[in-house]
């Protein structure tokens, strides 16, 4: 009766608590711990209780056990009989897949060869798990295939903070392929939320790229955000022998012509924002030849900087395009050149879409 009473008290504690025996087998975990680590077992294997992504059947016997901060914290407390603390960085299995989590684990001896682990910064851990979930959701917003209305395409999307503010999208209406690339203001979580809004609000039933951007602007204004929030957009429709395009404050699309030369599409309009009462968005059409490549970029590509502060620039992007024979080859070359130029570290989200025409 008394044991049940104590368990009920511990279950009501907001901190995550787990109790293990001298064999490092879990004998109890409170409700908060189970919320953070929703394992399929209630006691026993400590690796499984912490939802460790390693081979938990060999927990304590595998090579990774030597570097396990969770086991080290309990072992130190077991051998010294004193409180111990460890900062834990581990890969945990969640409903959305494997993700990195971090937390502080404090271990205290309880007597009778029992040891209690307390995660004080459970809120921090919960935030990291929510971020992993948000990242997984954002990945599902990306294009799923590599063909649209008879045109092959390729893209890259590299968020600089796990969750990004860029949005590439490709789809088709009838025999026409459509491409849209957006870059929202800011970075991180707030930018990710705004990019999700763009994904939902952009009208993919609209045949006119300019009208689709105008419709997005009207919906954006309904959010009543302050003037620091805005979205730049480039949208294209690819028909059998022509491209219709519209931009809103965005990097201009680039057309590489197999017959020779690069065409920069210069039409532009203000970003999607509440800066202007009734902004106008225009579109234009130009012809293409079979074998040409159409590219849409965000400014994260052209404004990426190396260790000396130099920008990658549109000229390097164009040079990369000029030596690429296909959309897929261009994206691979661009990604490799950017990583080489910047040393693998980016200060902005990196996004590009390329179409084989």
């Amino acid at each position: 009766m008394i044991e049940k009473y104590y368990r009920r008290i511990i279950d009501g504690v907001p901190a995550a608590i787990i109790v293990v025996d001298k064999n490092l087998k879990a004998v109890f975990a409170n409700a908060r711990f189970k919320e953070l680590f929703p394992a399929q077992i209630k006691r026993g294997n400590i690796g499984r209780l912490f939802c460790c992504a390693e081979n938990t059947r060999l927990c304590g016997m595998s090579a990774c056990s030597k570097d396990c901060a969770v086991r080290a914290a309990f072992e130190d407390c077991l051998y010294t009989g004193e409180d111990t603390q460890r900062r834990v960085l581990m890969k945990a299995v969640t409903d959305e897949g494997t993700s990195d989590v971090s937390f502080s684990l404090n271990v205290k001896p309880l007597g009778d060869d029992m040891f209690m682990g307390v995660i004080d910064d459970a809120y921090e851990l919960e935030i990291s798990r929510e971020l992993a979930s948000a990242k997984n959701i954002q990945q599902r917003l990306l294009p799923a295939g590599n063909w649209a209305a008879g045109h092959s395409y390729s893209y890259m999307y590299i968020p600089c903070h796990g969750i990004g503010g860029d949005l590439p999208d490709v789809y088709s209406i009838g025999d026409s392929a459509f491409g849209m690339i957006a870059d929202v203001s800011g970075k991180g979580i707030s930018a990710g939320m705004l990019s999700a809004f763009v994904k939902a609000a952009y009208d993919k039933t609209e045949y006119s790229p300019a009208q689709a951007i105008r419709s997005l602007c009207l919906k954006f204004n309904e959010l009543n955000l302050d003037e620091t929030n805005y979205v730049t957009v480039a949208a294209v429709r690819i028909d059998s022998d022509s491209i219709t395009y519209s931009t809103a404050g965005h990097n201009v699309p680039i057309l590489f012509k197999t017959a020779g030369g690069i065409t920069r599409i210069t039409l532009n309009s203000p970003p999607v924002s509440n800066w202007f009462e009734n902004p106008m968005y225009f579109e234009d059409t130009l012809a293409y030849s079979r074998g040409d490549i159409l590219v849409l970029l965000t400014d994260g590509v052209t404004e990426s900087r190396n260790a000396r502060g130099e920008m990658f620039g549109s000229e390097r992007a164009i040079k990369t395009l000029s030596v690429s024979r296909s959309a897929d080859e261009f994206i691979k070359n661009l990604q490799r050149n950017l990583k080489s130029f910047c040393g693998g570290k980016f200060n902005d989200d990196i996004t590009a879409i390329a179409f084989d025409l």
Side-chain angles (χ1 to χ4, degrees), residues 96-206:
E96 291 78 23
T98 301
S99 61
D100 296 318
V101 297
S102 64
F103 53 90
S104 295
L105 176 63
N106 297 283
V107 182
K108 302 176 180 291
L110 297 179
D112 296 328
D113 292 327
M114 304 291 280
F115 306 88
M116 179 177 69
V118 180
I119 299 175
D120 291 331
D121 54 354
Y123 182 70
E124 177 187 343
L125 174 59
E126 190 169 20
I127 290 294
S128 68
R129 293 175 72 95
E130 290 297 328
L131 288 175
S133 177
K135 181 179 179 180
N136 181 269
I137 291 172
Q138 190 173 62
Q139 289 293 319
R140 298 183 186 186
L141 300 181
L142 301 178
N146 53 15
W147 284 88
H151 295 277
S152 62
Y153 69 89
S154 185
Y155 73 93
M156 70 173 178
Y157 170 71
I158 307 175
C160 67
H161 291 312
I163 299 174
D166 286 0
L167 177 68
D169 203 3
V170 179
Y171 57 97
S172 59
I173 301 176
D175 295 329
S176 299
F178 290 75
M180 185 274 287
I181 193 166
D183 184 0
V184 311
S185 55
K187 298 180 181 66
I189 298 174
S190 60
M193 293 178 66
L194 195 51
S195 69
F197 161 80
V198 173
K199 175 74 173 183
Y202 191 81
D203 186 358
K204 294 201 288 189
T205 67
E206 175 57 63

Side-chain angles (χ1 to χ4, degrees), residues 59-86:
C59 184
M61 297 178 287
S62 59
C64 67
S65 298
K66 297 178 181 179
D67 300 318
C68 178
V70 172
R71 295 188 67 87
F74 283 105
E75 286 174 347
D76 284 356
C77 186
L78 170 65
Y79 294 136
T80 66
E82 298 178 353
D83 293 2
T84 61
Q85 183 179 37
R86 286 288 187 281

Side-chain angles (χ1 to χ4, degrees), residues 208-223:
S208 162
Q211 288 301 318
I213 294 177
R214 175 168 174 74
S215 175
L216 175 65
C217 188
L218 292 175
K219 294 175 182 177
F220 179 88
N221 288 337
E222 293 177 2
L223 296 178

Side-chain angles (χ1 to χ4, degrees), residues 277-296:
E277 186 173 344
N278 188 29
M280 301 298 293
Y281 297 99
F282 307 95
E283 64 188 26
D284 202 353
T285 300
L286 74 161
Y288 69 83
S289 301
R290 186 169 298 277
D292 293 351
I293 301 173
L294 177 66
V295 172
L296 306 177

